[in-house]
């Protein structure tokens, strides 16, 4: 019996926020660590590309290290008890 490796998909996270000084991505794929995944700004659009295993993930953008906001372009949201989280299901991409 051979175990199938979970497929890896490259996911591009973007948010338009020209006035932000820093934006990071926190989610259950990185232990909600706001220092782990910094986005880069280009023309007011912040983005980062991540390799994720096939699955369902909750995440938020962290603006200037303080304000946690869901992805305005996400199609699915859940209430985490702390606020709204965006949901990404890579099995449906």
């Amino acid at each position: 019996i051979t175990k199938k490796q979970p497929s890896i998909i490259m996911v591009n996270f973007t948010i338009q926020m020209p006035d932000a000084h820093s934006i990071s991505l926190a989610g259950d794929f990185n232990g909600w660590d706001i220092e782990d995944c910094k986005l880069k700004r280009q023309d007011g659009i912040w983005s980062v590309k991540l390799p994720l295993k096939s699955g369902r993930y909750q995440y938020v953008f962290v603006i200037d290290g303080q304000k946690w906001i869901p992805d305005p372009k996400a199609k699915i949201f859940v209430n985490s008890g702390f606020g709204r989280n965006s949901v990404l299901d890579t099995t449906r991409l």
Side-chain angles (χ1 to χ4, degrees):
I1 297 173
T2 58
K3 258 187 150 178
K4 186 180 174 194
Q5 289 293 328
S7 57
I8 301 290
I9 185 167
M10 291 303 291
V11 180
N12 194 26
F13 294 90
T14 63
I15 186 168
Q16 185 169 352
M17 195 152 291
D19 296 334
H21 298 290
S22 70
I23 299 181
S24 58
L25 188 66
D28 46 19
F29 45 78
N30 67 0
W32 299 96
D33 182 352
I34 68 171
E35 298 297 322
D36 180 61
C37 186
K38 305 281 188 182
L39 282 72
K40 290 186 172 49
R41 176 171 48 190
Q42 184 172 1
D43 300 325
I45 306 227
W46 296 78
S47 65
V48 66
K49 197 174 268 196
L50 291 182
L52 295 177
K53 291 180 183 173
S54 183
R56 186 176 169 102
Y57 301 97
Q58 292 185 35
Y59 69 97
V60 295
F61 291 108
V62 183
I63 314 303
D64 297 332
Q66 297 179 5
K67 187 175 181 186
W68 294 48
I69 64 166
D71 185 344
K73 295 184 306 237
K75 293 180 173 65
I76 307 168
F77 299 93
V78 295
N79 189 336
S80 68
F82 297 100
R84 274 172 35 121
N85 291 344
S86 306
V87 176
L88 171 67
D89 189 346
T90 63
T91 64
R92 296 175 182 239
L93 295 178

